[in-house]
Amino acid sequence: DDPAFSPLLDLIERRLAVADVVALHKWDNAQPVQATEREQAIIAAVRNAAPGHGLDPARAAAFFHDQIEANKLVQYARLSQWQLAGAAPALPRHDLQRIIRPRLDDLQTDLLHQLASFDQTRSRQCARKLALALAQRQGDALHRAGMIRATGQLCD
Ligand SMILES: C=C(O[C@@H]1C=C(C(=O)O)C=C[C@H]1O)C(=O)O
């Protein structure tokens, strides 16, 4: 466990884990994965909040862009699996608007905080250490791919 990465990667993973219940809601309601207005609202909010964490708004926006793209990657993959199976799993459902999006919003401040402290202690060989830290984590192939997507610009 690389202590430079684990608090941030834990949070990224928690946000990404929500993609499965988002996909369930969208499957049940025949709702598209892409929600452009919601994405724009998130990017505007994190740009606004960034300076309060000592972060450049562009840095915060790029990081959240990656979180959103990773989330959609997992959603598209789940929906494709459920199309093949002809059914989605019998897991508990949660309402997107009332339950799931507020849950995603709750992670926002912590993510910005951890991104800021990650940036303050940035080490050399960031990309290599990130790859090692990701390889050491648990998760199925899809969530592993999602974690790689979610950290795509982390070491830039
Ligand atoms: C998670 C959702 O699906 C997509 C991913 C988003 C995200 O990761 O925050 C936002 C909007 C959607 O394009 C959602 O609709 O809320």
Side-chain angles (χ1 to χ4, degrees):
D1 239 38
D2 188 336
F5 288 93
S6 43
L8 181 58
L9 293 184
D10 286 348
L11 277 175
I12 291 173
E13 195 170 84
R14 272 170 60 193
R15 192 184 195 283
L16 189 62
V18 179
D20 294 78
V21 285
V22 176
L24 269 176
H25 177 97
K26 290 179 176 178
W27 170 271
D28 289 347
N29 297 281
Q31 205 173 313
V33 168
Q34 180 67 35
T36 304
E37 274 185 32
R38 164 72 175 163
E39 292 188 11
Q40 286 167 350
I42 291 169
I43 298 300
V46 299
R47 278 184 167 278
N48 256 316
H53 294 272
L55 281 167
D56 185 342
R59 172 69 168 159
F63 175 77
F64 270 85
H65 171 78
D66 284 347
Q67 304 319 301
I68 291 168
E69 290 303 319
N71 205 288
K72 289 187 289 184
L73 174 70
V74 171
Q75 291 182 50
Y76 285 124
R78 288 293 179 236
L79 290 169
S80 179
Q81 289 168 349
W82 302 338
Q83 288 292 350
L84 283 179
L91 293 169
R93 273 30 185 192
H94 302 284
D95 186 72
L96 182 63
Q97 204 71 39
R98 281 186 313 108
I99 307 292
I100 306 173
R101 284 180 176 169
R103 194 183 291 171
L104 290 168
D105 291 340
D106 284 345
L107 290 168
Q108 202 163 281
T109 304
D110 288 345
L111 277 162
L112 287 170
H113 174 77
Q114 287 300 334
L115 177 62
S117 66
F118 175 83
D119 280 358
Q120 277 154 24
T121 57
R122 260 280 285 277
S123 64
R124 294 158 60 96
Q125 297 202 309
C126 182
R128 172 159 173 76
K129 288 178 185 166
L130 170 62
L132 280 169
L134 289 174
Q136 284 162 2
R137 299 180 77 86
Q138 309 293 317
D140 63 23
L142 177 56
H143 282 268
R144 289 180 165 279
M147 288 298 289
I148 291 169
R149 181 64 192 87
T151 52
Q153 298 178 85
L154 194 58
C155 291
D156 287 1

